[in-house]
Amino acid sequence: MDISTRLAPGLCLKNPILSASGTFAYGEEFARMFDLSLLGGVVTKGLSLHPKEGNPTPRVCETSCGMLNAIGLENIGVDAFIAQKLPFLGTFDTEVVVNFFGTGEDEYAHMAQKLDIEGVSAIEMNVSCPNIKKGGIEFGKDPKILNRLVAQVRQSTTKPLIVKLSPMVTHIGEMALAAQEGGADALTCSNTFPAMAIDENTWKPILGNITGGLSGPAVKPIALRIVWEVSRQAAIPVIASGGITSWRDVVQFLLAGASAVEIGSFSLRDPLCFGVIIQGLIRYMHDNSLESITEIIGKLRTP
Amino acid sequence: MKDCNALVKDNRLVAQDTCLMTLACELSPFTPGQFLMLRLTGTCDPFLRRPLAVLSYREGIVEILYKVIGRGTSLLAGKKKGEELSVLGPLGKGFSDPRPEEEAVYVAGGTGLPPILALAERMGRGSLIIGARTKDDIPLWERMQNIGGVEVTATTEDGSLGIRGMATQALNDLLKTVHKPCVIYACGPTGMLKTAASLAQVFGARCEVSIEERMACGFGVCSACAVRTTAGNQKVCTHGPVFDASCIEWGI
């Protein structure tokens, strides 16, 4: 049975399960709980050029079947990551996808250059964080701006380039095509959904940042629709992200057109879920006499 | 730290909106101040685990004392003997032991009691101050009074038990009478911790505080539970929850 999946020239995952950015830190904590080599790939916390402190607390809040976060991309910065964290990730037999963001086109390109080094399997551009003032979603809302940004980053790296899209646009297919034409190798669909929570006793927002991003099983049906829509329009592979908690969810996203999936929020509550989900997928394929996951990807039977 | 299934042995109300739960599960030895991340099994709602301090752990039985505040803790309170929970832990960094020459003072306010009581019971010496709104808000009063070697004082805002007033006032009064090196261990509302930290400075005492912050993971990956310290942002779940009070940059 072949559960490997190809995301770009030179980027083939041994299985379609990745961690998601922002819920995996730089891998050290999870590595104390399981062998990271079982993953198809790890996606690091989003990195900036300089270390970033993040938003005021509270930074998370639970909602029905999900959670809000407004961490604000707190991270150690790209140089500290390369010096202190990347060598450790290199000790595992898994692909290392480095998520990053910039405050402007030149900074995005500069980051991509810095990450064009051994040990980095691919880079994932964040143009969709709802929780920061600069370097987030404003690059992911307008197809022309996104296209230009992706094209500039494309010229700055030899690595496979993944663009993580925002769900908060009118036509996500247009954004997908803009990224594809800019030279993206794959698309991650998608980031969290801007949302908020209010305390009726104090009359105050619960999050320090007032608004945050919604994730978890609550968003899965929307994520599924987005993946289906994008994969029908874009020619490049789609990585699904949004509320995955089981192998059943993985199969559904593959049917919708995803070539791989990222598991985020669920791994915060069940850090050992990755192995369980991979085993479940293998059992499902065995039970259904499927030889390769390419037999599932995009094979949704529509009326 | 590991993820294991725990069987509820007992779960009962011990004070106003406060429950004591005993669970059967195999944990590694814990340090007072460490916590567990608990969740219901077989459901994604509530989605996140709940961080709760360990009160005691002996021979496969763990005690958790918790305040019923929202939906998650209400569902926990509804768990009956024989039902299952998922437990991740023990997590975080606990309190250090008092040095042999040090007088230990334990201060708990409101929901801050469990890690403080755990430490007082473990150490079996020193003074414990428990502050609450009323006597109905103080759980396990009899048990506290029976900790050998520990002097217990209660303060209540309405005077219904012990001294009328705040725990920090009682702490101030107590520190005046101690004429040797002293260590203060505190857990409770931020205002109380901040006052305990400044009293420690005034009296030249060492002070460790257990900080509460909203968490998602509890094991250091999500960066939700940030606290400002002299060394920059630290994570309450892995760098703490117990911190040297002199390192905390108190807001407001």
Side-chain angles (χ1 to χ4, degrees):
Chain A
M1 185 191 298
D2 182 11
I3 59 166
S4 71
T5 187
R6 192 173 167 281
L7 294 180
L11 182 62
C12 186
L13 311 184
K14 64 183 166 192
N15 67 58
I17 310 298
L18 297 128
S19 66
S21 180
T23 49
F24 206 74
Y26 313 104
E28 294 149 318
E29 295 81 3
F30 278 96
R32 285 196 274 275
M33 289 182 266
F34 68 88
D35 181 0
L36 302 188
S37 299
L38 76 83
L39 293 168
V42 300
V43 185
T44 69
K45 175 78 190 172
L47 296 167
S48 47
L49 190 55
H50 304 293
K52 202 167 175 337
E53 280 216 323
N55 287 327
T57 57
R59 293 175 168 186
V60 289
C61 162
E62 186 170 79
T63 58
S64 298
C65 286
M67 61 179 284
L68 301 180
N69 89 80
I71 308 295
L73 291 173
E74 176 170 347
N75 78 95
I76 58 171
V78 66
D79 292 332
F81 168 78
I82 291 169
Q84 299 161 21
K85 308 293 182 184
L86 188 58
F88 175 72
L89 289 173
T91 62
F92 298 96
D93 176 23
T94 190
E95 303 301 330
V96 177
V97 180
V98 181
N99 185 290
F100 73 103
F101 64 98
T103 53
E105 283 185 17
D106 291 343
E107 197 171 299
Y108 269 98
H110 186 41
M111 294 283 295
Q113 268 167 7
K114 277 183 175 277
L115 290 165
D116 198 2
I117 52 174
E118 204 189 316
V120 175
S121 311
I123 54 175
E124 184 181 63
M125 259 174 86
N126 181 357
V127 289
S128 44
C129 179
N131 298 326
I132 54 170
K133 288 189 184 75
K134 271 189 93 62
I137 204 162
E138 83 263 30
F139 293 104
K141 276 181 175 166
D142 181 319
K144 284 196 193 74
I145 293 172
L146 180 66
N147 177 271
R148 216 173 66 181
L149 178 67
V150 173
Q152 193 171 342
V153 171
R154 172 75 285 167
Q155 284 171 6
S156 310
T157 181
T158 60
K159 299 290 176 188
L161 174 61
I162 303 165
V163 177
K164 187 168 184 175
L165 298 176
S166 166
M168 294 311 289
V169 293
T170 312
H171 301 291
I172 195 159
E174 270 180 30
M175 303 305 294
L177 290 175
Q180 178 181 303
E181 281 154 23
D185 292 297
L187 302 164
T188 302
C189 299
S190 62
N191 213 312
T192 55
F193 296 74
M196 72 188 292
I198 292 173
D199 186 327
E200 73 281 6
N201 295 313
T202 61
W203 295 28
K204 289 178 180 170
I206 289 176
L207 294 174
N209 189 53
I210 304 176
T211 61
L214 177 63
S215 64
V219 307
K220 199 201 89 180
I222 315 179
L224 209 48
R225 187 270 302 165
I226 289 173
V227 166
W228 179 68
E229 208 169 301
V230 168
S231 64
R232 282 197 310 164
Q233 294 183 56
I236 53 179
V238 172
I239 304 165
S241 169
I244 294 162
T245 66
S246 67
W247 61 266
R248 289 183 189 82
D249 294 336
V250 175
V251 173
Q252 292 165 22
F253 275 103
L254 294 176
L255 287 169
S259 296
V261 303
E262 292 180 359
I263 298 170
S265 304
F266 192 63
S267 66
L268 298 178
R269 74 168 243 150
D270 278 339
L272 300 176
C273 69
F274 298 100
V276 177
I277 289 174
I278 293 166
Q279 286 312 311
L281 176 64
I282 291 171
R283 203 175 331 109
Y284 171 82
M285 288 178 59
H286 179 264
D287 292 349
N288 289 280
S289 307
L290 294 160
E291 289 297 323
S292 160
I293 62 163
T294 54
E295 292 171 52
I296 312 174
I297 295 171
K299 297 296 193 293
L300 182 70
R301 294 170 186 161
T302 46
Chain B
M1 185 254 293
K2 60 176 191 171
D3 185 3
C4 62
N5 281 341
L7 211 58
V8 178
K9 304 295 278 182
D10 189 28
N11 191 15
R12 61 196 159 86
L13 206 64
V14 289
Q16 191 163 276
D17 300 328
T18 304
C19 293
L20 179 67
M21 183 187 271
T22 45
L23 296 164
C25 63
E26 287 304 319
L27 297 177
S28 32
F30 90 105
T31 308
Q34 285 191 301
F35 63 98
L36 303 175
M37 292 294 280
L38 267 70
R39 70 164 172 81
L40 309 186
T41 53
T43 175
C44 269
D45 197 21
F47 186 61
L48 298 174
R49 290 174 187 258
R50 293 295 181 273
L52 295 168
V54 179
L55 176 58
S56 77
Y57 178 67
R58 229 169 276 118
E59 288 155 16
I61 300 290
V62 59
E63 280 186 306
I64 308 280
L65 179 68
Y66 61 100
K67 181 117 183 161
V68 181
I69 294 170
R71 186 163 165 269
T73 41
S74 299
L75 288 166
L76 275 184
K79 286 283 145 184
K80 304 253 176 330
K81 185 178 175 180
E83 290 192 90
E84 222 177 41
L85 289 173
S86 169
V87 172
L88 190 67
L91 298 159
K93 190 172 92 17
F95 292 105
S96 71
D97 288 0
R99 295 169 192 149
E101 73 279 11
E102 279 177 336
E103 175 73 18
V105 182
Y106 317 97
V107 190
T111 55
L113 179 63
I116 293 296
L117 182 52
L119 183 65
E121 288 186 337
R122 173 79 62 94
M123 295 306 148
R125 66 180 178 93
S127 310
L128 169 62
I129 300 166
I130 161 87
R133 281 195 311 115
T134 73
K135 94 179 196 310
D136 295 336
D137 297 305
I138 298 184
L140 311 181
W141 177 238
E142 230 167 87
R143 172 169 164 172
M144 272 187 270
Q145 287 176 301
N146 289 322
I147 314 172
V150 177
E151 195 71 34
V152 184
T153 307
T155 66
T156 48
E157 287 172 29
D158 67 351
S160 54
L161 185 72
I163 305 161
R164 180 194 294 266
M166 309 294 278
T168 44
Q169 186 54 50
L171 174 63
N172 186 43
D173 295 346
L174 178 69
L175 290 172
K176 282 183 198 161
T177 67
V178 178
H179 299 292
K180 59 186 229 174
C182 183
V183 55
I184 301 165
Y185 300 102
C187 185
T190 309
M192 186 200 99
L193 299 184
K194 194 178 163 183
T195 308
S198 42
L199 285 174
Q201 260 191 332
V202 171
F203 288 92
R206 207 156 64 81
C207 183
E208 292 184 6
V209 291
S210 180
I211 305 269
E212 291 186 330
E213 186 50 78
R214 276 174 193 259
M215 289 179 188
C217 67
F219 53 90
V221 300
C222 74
S223 292
C225 58
V227 59
R228 282 190 178 279
T229 73
T230 47
N233 275 358
Q234 300 242 289
K235 294 166 187 169
V236 171
C237 67
T238 50
H239 297 121
V242 174
F243 292 90
D244 184 323
S246 63
C247 298
I248 301 292
E249 291 191 351
W250 303 98
I252 26 164

